[in-house]
Amino acid sequence: GAVVSQHPSWVICKSGTSVKIECRSLDFQATTMFWYRQFPKQSLMLMATSNEGSKATYEQGVEKDKFLINHASLTLSTLTVTSAHPEDSSFYICSAYPGPGPGEQYFGPGTRLTVT
Amino acid sequence: QQPVQSPQAVILREGEDAVINCSSSKALYSVHWYRQKHGEAPVFLMILLKGGEQKGHEKISASFNEKKQQSSLYLTASQLSYSGTYFCGTETVDRDDKIIFGKGTRLHILP
């Protein structure tokens, strides 16, 4: 099956610093990638939709200046959490969608971010 | 709009059956079902498209009633490996490729 990787798997950073998370589709090209945040024992909350070569579309309530998304190629999207605070600590998961038409989204293994 | 899942949690003994429901207030194009184990990424189970579709894989099957904007996931003769949190994700008829996930149903299978 299709494989999506995320790097790093986990990261601990100090409050006020920025953290970049990479999402790569390893064996297919993804027209669209999605970024989700998941707090413990809660649902996957969609943060933004990322299309290659265009600006990301953010969900209501997600600060676009805080969560910078770049979709540089059909196999790579990055999420940068800027000026991280403890409340940003969460499990961040990306998914890649090869399209077109309805189909499975392939999820990455997730990145656990802890801000101290 | 986030779909509503029920029940929130289920505890079963191995071999018992379970039904997880998912309902939406919006007209749906597709329903996706995923299972997530603790600390891991969600794993795709199946997708159901508009049109009253039913699907199955081994002992896990699902139905989609587009008129009622509902889907149900059926787990028969449950196995220990079925434990986890089940999420339904819905895509509306807007066809923006976005999937909005429900809050999940935690399933725990006892030996």
Side-chain angles (χ1 to χ4, degrees), chain A residues 13-90:
Chain A
C13 69
K14 289 190 183 293
S15 190
T17 60
S18 295
V19 173
K20 181 187 281 189
I21 302 169
E22 290 187 350
C23 176
R24 290 181 187 272
S25 55
L26 299 184
D27 49 5
F28 67 98
Q29 293 185 328
T31 56
T32 306
M33 289 184 173
F34 299 92
W35 286 95
Y36 295 87
R37 180 167 54 183
Q38 186 176 36
F39 292 108
K41 296 187 180 180
Q42 294 191 24
S43 185
L44 297 144
M45 299 305 297
L46 180 64
M47 298 175 67
T49 303
S50 169
N51 291 296
E52 185 264 339
S54 62
K55 287 185 178 180
T57 304
Y58 291 81
E59 293 300 300
Q60 196 171 11
V62 178
E63 299 174 59
K64 56 184 71 176
D65 294 330
K66 182 169 184 60
F67 298 99
L68 301 178
I69 291 173
N70 182 267
H71 196 148
S73 73
L74 286 171
T75 60
L76 173 64
S77 176
T78 59
L79 168 69
T80 301
V81 183
T82 62
S83 188
H85 290 285
E87 56 265 32
D88 298 324
S89 298
S90 188

Side-chain angles (χ1 to χ4, degrees), chain A residues 34 36 38 41-46 49 59 91 93 97 101-105 107-109, chain B residues 2 29 32 34 36 39-42 44 47 49 87 95 97-103 106:
Chain A
F34 299 92
Y36 295 87
Q38 186 176 36
K41 296 187 180 180
Q42 294 191 24
S43 185
L44 297 144
M45 299 305 297
L46 180 64
T49 303
E59 293 300 300
F91 193 51
I93 308 179
Y97 174 62
E104 178 182 351
Q105 285 189 18
F107 280 86
Chain B
Q2 187 176 39
Y29 179 77
H32 304 234
Y34 285 80
Q36 186 182 30
E40 299 179 10
F44 176 77
I47 177 174
L49 300 177
F87 292 100
R95 293 298 332 278
D97 297 330
K98 288 193 306 187
I99 299 175
I100 304 299
F101 287 93
K103 292 188 176 182
R106 274 181 281 161

Side-chain angles (χ1 to χ4, degrees), chain B residues 5-109:
Chain B
Q5 283 186 241
S6 63
Q8 288 182 307
V10 185
I11 300 176
L12 298 175
R13 292 210 173 270
E14 200 173 4
E16 293 181 334
D17 302 340
V19 180
I20 300 171
N21 300 303
C22 174
S23 64
S24 173
S25 59
K26 289 193 168 186
L28 299 177
Y29 179 77
S30 65
V31 179
H32 304 234
W33 285 97
Y34 285 80
R35 177 173 60 213
Q36 186 182 30
K37 293 188 182 281
H38 181 68
E40 299 179 10
V43 172
F44 176 77
L45 294 176
M46 63 189 80
I47 177 174
L48 300 106
L49 300 177
K50 190 176 162 78
E53 192 173 11
Q54 292 190 14
K55 273 190 177 177
H57 176 66
E58 295 183 348
K59 295 176 182 175
I60 300 176
S61 61
S63 62
F64 176 26
N65 186 324
E66 62 173 307
K67 283 187 179 178
K68 291 185 177 179
Q69 296 168 185
Q70 292 177 347
S71 176
S72 295
L73 184 71
Y74 306 96
L75 304 158
T76 58
S78 57
Q79 305 168 14
L80 292 175
S81 61
Y82 289 1
S83 291
T85 301
Y86 289 78
F87 292 100
C88 75
T90 54
E91 183 184 4
T92 63
V93 293
D94 298 337
R95 293 298 332 278
D96 56 5
D97 297 330
K98 288 193 306 187
I99 299 175
I100 304 299
F101 287 93
K103 292 188 176 182
T105 295
R106 274 181 281 161
L107 177 65
H108 188 62
I109 310 294

